[in-house]
Amino acid sequence: MVGGRTSAAYDVLMRNTVVFAAFAAFVVAVPSAQSPDARVRALLDSPKFKQAIGFIQSDQDRFVRELIALTEIPAPPFKEQARAKAYLEMLRQVGLTDVEMDPEGNVMGIRRGSGPAGGPLLLVNAHLDTVFPEGTDVKVKRQGTKLMAPGIGDDTRGLALILALVRTLEAAKFTTPGDILFAGNVGEEGEGDLRGIKFLLKTGKYKDRIKQVLAIDGNESNGITRGGVGSRRYRVTFKGPGGHSYGAFGLVNPAFAMGGAIAKFARLEVPTKPKTTFNVGVVRGGTSVNSIPAEVSMDVDMRSEACAELNRLDQEFLAVVGQAVDEENRTRSTREGRVAADPKVIGERPCGETPLDAPIVQTVAAAIRAFGLSPTFTISSTDANIPMSLGIPAVTIGRGGPGGRAHSPDEWVDVDPAANARNVQVALATLLAVAGGG
Ligand SMILES: [Zn+2]
């Protein structure tokens, strides 16, 4: 269960928005050597960055080749191994050290900084898994610079971007004070329930060293996800005695109890701001049309930008399940047994946020502004939820667009060379600015 967050969280978020707006205006008006904008400007004006721009242009074909190759290796939830193995080899090829797969299936490698070994780490990750089941046609189709295939954007383009970034860091001989851990992680989507990033930050060998996180999983280069939408998912199983639909008519029926629960759930009211949502996504159960089912179940998803709203919705949901069960047991005969409901949590994404005035957020925003883009701040559900919930500064940044139709068979990305070169440059400037390198 998520706990400990209060309804004050959203108010703080709004207050920070005002503070940040004032701060941003100050930075624009009075640039100083210390401001993130000035630091990014100096980075972009450096000879190394100019060299990097040339390299990125020359690397375009390889980027596209790797994006296609990775997309065409299926990576359904819990079945990321084949893609993980291929990505592990690619991480080795780009020159990372300590390349390995951890027990959860994440693959990773280190780029050493100039500081002493074993120091704080910046984690840069993209997720290996897609939402698409086994058997999905993942062959990439091309129309000019437009590439189409399930998963090609979310998040395979993020994986390809990491490889391009590491090659560029090497080619232009950039250095960073601390080590950077680059990872392709499992389990971001759906029932994966962020298992890959949870392992990296709570169990893995680097868990105590990771002090900042840049997750690459947004569509556009100017997007900054600095808040994590929390979600809670249940599978609720309703059980009863079952029986013949005609001969045992009158006995309690778990399907009626579940139907009652769904009808009540559907009428719950949730705020539009902070955005709070709920869904019954899967219903199942029963054995034949002429049997009172002994068991039915439903999968439920609830989300909110605010932890307090999520907790309130959760309590209301559990209450209506209880009411519907009671009503069924009162309405029909319980002589062969009662209906009971068993709600099991099948997914838990903790809420969290990185404040707008946190250095990592300001730095990423400055890098985006340096390319003439205006940063947009969003709250979403990504791998960054986990570091945010642990108090580790984290944001999710763009993999570069344009692209669209994520999670659909028509998913597409555009790899127009000029636009893509800019996307890679924005990500490179972001990475170097956050890592304090140059
Ligand atoms: Zn994603």
Side-chain angles (χ1 to χ4, degrees):
M1 293 285 154
V2 171
R5 292 288 302 258
T6 70
S7 60
Y10 193 71
D11 297 338
V12 168
L13 192 157
M14 298 291 42
R15 208 158 52 231
N16 285 344
T17 307
V18 175
V19 171
F20 181 75
F23 178 83
F26 173 76
V27 167
V28 169
V30 191
S32 80
Q34 304 304 315
S35 78
D37 292 87
R39 284 198 291 117
V40 172
R41 180 43 50 208
L43 172 68
L44 264 55
D45 288 341
S46 69
K48 279 186 188 174
F49 206 90
K50 301 220 155 56
Q51 193 189 335
I53 293 172
F55 176 80
I56 289 165
Q57 282 160 356
S58 72
D59 195 52
Q60 164 80 5
D61 289 350
R62 184 159 175 189
F63 169 83
V64 173
R65 248 192 344 265
E66 289 174 337
L67 174 58
I68 293 171
L70 285 165
T71 303
E72 292 184 346
I73 306 171
F78 298 96
K79 291 183 177 139
E80 301 100 334
Q81 297 89 335
R83 182 181 288 189
K85 279 186 187 153
Y87 197 58
L88 180 114
E89 275 316 308
M90 291 168 159
L91 292 175
R92 229 192 283 280
Q93 278 168 23
V94 293
L96 297 180
T97 62
D98 304 282
V99 175
E100 62 180 316
M101 182 183 288
D102 74 14
E104 192 68 35
N106 302 308
V107 291
M108 67 199 87
I110 295 261
R111 186 171 189 269
R112 283 278 290 120
S114 53
L121 281 172
L122 165 64
L123 168 65
V124 179
N125 71 290
H127 64 87
L128 292 159
D129 56 316
T130 72
V131 293
F132 300 97
E134 271 179 308
T136 302
D137 180 6
V138 290
K139 186 93 189 123
V140 176
K141 294 171 191 70
R142 278 193 93 139
Q143 275 175 11
T145 58
K146 197 172 168 186
L147 307 180
M148 285 150 291
I152 192 160
D154 184 9
D155 189 23
T156 318
R157 189 173 190 157
L159 296 170
L161 177 58
I162 284 180
L163 299 173
L165 287 172
V166 178
R167 273 196 298 274
T168 309
L169 290 171
E170 289 298 311
K173 299 192 170 60
F174 284 109
T175 58
T176 56
D179 298 354
I180 304 176
L181 176 64
F182 292 94
N185 59 284
V186 295
E188 195 274 343
E189 300 284 5
E191 289 177 26
D193 206 30
L194 309 184
R195 66 190 177 97
I197 190 97
K198 282 177 184 169
F199 189 89
L200 282 168
L201 289 165
K202 294 181 172 182
T203 310
K205 67 196 261 193
Y206 298 119
K207 69 181 169 69
D208 297 322
R209 288 181 58 196
I210 297 170
K211 300 299 179 198
Q212 295 192 93
V213 178
L214 284 177
I216 303 178
D217 195 13
N219 217 9
E220 300 300 335
S221 290
N222 66 331
I224 304 174
T225 301
R226 48 157 291 276
V229 171
S231 75
R232 198 161 306 154
R233 292 169 178 170
Y234 284 101
R235 177 162 301 155
V236 190
T237 306
F238 296 77
K239 289 184 179 170
H244 195 285
S245 63
Y246 185 76
F249 180 69
L251 294 184
V252 287
N253 185 329
F256 292 153
M258 187 165 87
I262 292 173
K264 288 174 194 292
F265 187 38
R267 288 194 294 269
L268 293 182
E269 287 182 12
V270 290
T272 49
K273 231 175 178 5
K275 186 174 178 182
T276 304
T277 65
F278 56 86
N279 183 47
V280 175
V282 179
V283 295
R284 59 174 89 69
T287 51
S288 72
V289 69
N290 56 346
S291 298
I292 299 168
E295 184 175 316
V296 297
S297 67
M298 62 175 172
D299 293 354
V300 168
D301 170 85
M302 296 179 272
R303 304 183 189 213
S304 181
E305 292 176 351
C307 295
E309 286 299 333
L310 182 60
N311 288 334
R312 191 179 62 80
L313 177 60
D314 184 28
Q315 292 308 310
E316 289 181 2
F317 167 67
L318 293 175
V320 299
V321 167
Q323 287 161 18
V325 167
D326 289 348
E327 280 174 20
E328 180 60 15
N329 285 326
R330 278 202 306 273
T331 306
R332 269 166 277 275
S333 170
T334 57
R335 72 183 141 79
E336 298 294 340
R338 300 170 67 83
V339 166
D342 177 25
K344 278 207 165 50
V345 175
I346 56 169
E348 173 88 68
R349 293 177 180 229
C351 313
E353 69 183 70
T354 303
L356 270 166
D357 56 0
I360 190 171
V361 176
Q362 292 176 43
T363 303
V364 173
I368 290 167
R369 276 195 298 270
F371 289 86
L373 304 167
S374 50
T376 60
F377 299 95
T378 54
I379 308 275
S380 183
S381 176
T382 67
D383 277 324
N385 277 46
I386 299 302
M388 287 172 190
S389 74
L390 297 171
I392 298 171
V395 291
T396 297
I397 60 169
R399 55 180 98 91
R405 302 285 292 134
H407 292 203
S408 90
D410 311 321
E411 187 167 356
W412 62 277
V413 297
D414 199 307
V415 291
D416 170 70
N420 189 53
R422 189 191 65 172
N423 294 337
V424 180
Q425 287 173 42
V426 175
L428 178 70
T430 302
L431 168 58
L432 284 167
V434 169

